[in-house]
Amino acid sequence: MSRFVELNLALILFLPWFAILGALFWLYPRRPRNPARKLFDAVSLAISVCAFVLAVHWAHLHAGREYGAMWPQILATSLGYGVFLAVLTVAFALRWRWLRGVEDYRE
């Protein structure tokens, strides 16, 4: 396996699941759907994917190889997924607080 694929295997394998979570984050709640909301959602998704990639690469560099050849992949996948969900959860909470005051959201 090439080094590039090895470093990005977690992203390759999680991409379909991230697409589903990203689509749900983007679509719900349906209102308000103004340009500010679209920008917030797009930036939130981009930050969560970037944080995932950074966490995966960090984990690969710091994983102890004495636990076996698969340990770097296991650690990277677990840590990356947790970071992705954490960033998306924070974005969801911030968006919810922001949208509470918007009239379209209350209807």
Side-chain angles (χ1 to χ4, degrees):
M1 179 178 343
S2 75
R3 183 74 176 142
F4 179 77
V5 171
E6 183 179 340
L7 282 174
N8 295 299
L9 184 61
L11 180 61
I12 294 167
L13 295 175
F14 272 102
L15 212 50
W17 180 237
F18 287 172
I20 292 169
L21 290 176
L24 290 173
F25 179 78
W26 185 270
L27 293 174
Y28 295 103
R30 294 192 184 271
R31 288 181 177 219
R33 178 65 57 190
N34 55 26
R37 160 83 188 276
K38 289 178 184 178
L39 178 65
F40 179 85
D41 288 355
V43 169
S44 298
L45 290 169
I47 290 172
S48 62
V49 171
C50 288
F52 172 84
V53 170
L54 289 172
V56 166
H57 287 239
W58 182 89
H60 268 284
L61 289 174
H62 293 89
R65 307 247 180 231
E66 63 271 8
Y67 300 110
M70 284 301 297
W71 177 244
Q73 285 294 337
I74 294 167
L75 179 64
T77 302
S78 301
L79 183 66
Y81 185 56
V83 167
F84 178 84
L85 288 179
V87 171
L88 214 55
T89 301
V90 168
F92 183 80
L94 288 173
R95 186 179 67 183
W96 178 76
R97 287 189 60 162
W98 171 43
L99 292 178
R100 275 194 317 190
V102 176
E103 283 299 317
D104 281 347
Y105 186 65
R106 293 182 194 167
E107 294 175 359

